[in-house]
Amino acid sequence: MSDPIVILSEEPLGHDDRVNIAKLVDGSDAPIVVLVPANTERHLLVDFLENLSMLEVAKAFRELLSQAPDPEAERASAQSALAASLEALEGLGSGVTGEIVDGGAVAGLVAKVKSLNASQAVVVTRPHAIADTFHTDWANKAQDQLGLPVLHLYAGSGFIGDS
């Protein structure tokens, strides 16, 4: 059996993501473990600047003025994203399992990679202009902590982030 592939995703994985992961699996019997964080731990200022950089001015101010998200709603959203992701990846490798990560997303990925002795880690996110530019995105943080390459894919596309 091949080493497991651990995937951390902030978005529900879909068809395009399945195509990318299938290329990574390449017909092997590697088990796939999908992690979805219950809380993405975004930073208000970074989100504000990111929305402005994407010319989403109304969204930037709407999110700036919004209240903190409800933890139960975040967990329900994460559960929904996990279910969609497991369905999208069904049949790849020797099986697909998943779980919700409580606490830090990167810490959860690092812990799971170490506990499974996985040799491959993948992070799937939306593009984050500020974090990606300054290499503070999840993939870079995980790579620094794991000491192994972490593939950074942008959700729903064939684009690879710079990690």
Side-chain angles (χ1 to χ4, degrees), residues 5 7 13-26 89 92 120 122 124 151-160:
I5 299 172
I7 301 170
L13 300 177
H15 173 72
D16 292 333
D17 303 305
R18 179 191 173 87
V19 170
N20 292 330
I21 300 302
K23 289 177 186 175
L24 183 62
V25 173
D26 194 29
L89 299 180
L92 291 180
Q120 294 188 65
V122 180
V124 181
L151 179 61
H152 185 188
L153 299 173
Y154 290 134
S157 75
F159 294 109
I160 298 174

Side-chain angles (χ1 to χ4, degrees), residues 29-51:
D29 64 347
I32 298 171
V33 179
V34 179
L35 305 175
V36 177
N39 174 351
T40 58
E41 298 179 339
R42 302 299 299 166
H43 298 285
L44 190 59
L45 179 60
V46 172
D47 286 347
F48 181 74
L49 293 173
E50 184 171 301
N51 287 327

Side-chain angles (χ1 to χ4, degrees), residues 123-144 148-155 157-163:
V123 172
V124 181
T125 65
R126 300 177 303 277
H128 295 290
I130 304 298
D132 293 347
T133 300
F134 293 104
H135 304 288
T136 59
D137 57 275
W138 289 352
N140 276 287
K141 288 180 179 180
Q143 187 166 298
D144 289 345
L148 62 95
V150 175
L151 179 61
H152 185 188
L153 299 173
Y154 290 134
S157 75
F159 294 109
I160 298 174
D162 179 29
S163 58

Side-chain angles (χ1 to χ4, degrees), residues 84-95:
S85 298
L86 294 176
E87 184 178 327
L89 299 180
E90 187 176 350
L92 291 180
S94 66

Side-chain angles (χ1 to χ4, degrees), residues 44 47 51 58-70:
L44 190 59
D47 286 347
N51 287 327
K59 182 179 178 184
F61 283 99
R62 188 172 49 251
E63 288 184 5
L64 183 64
L65 300 174
S66 69
Q67 295 181 358
D70 175 36

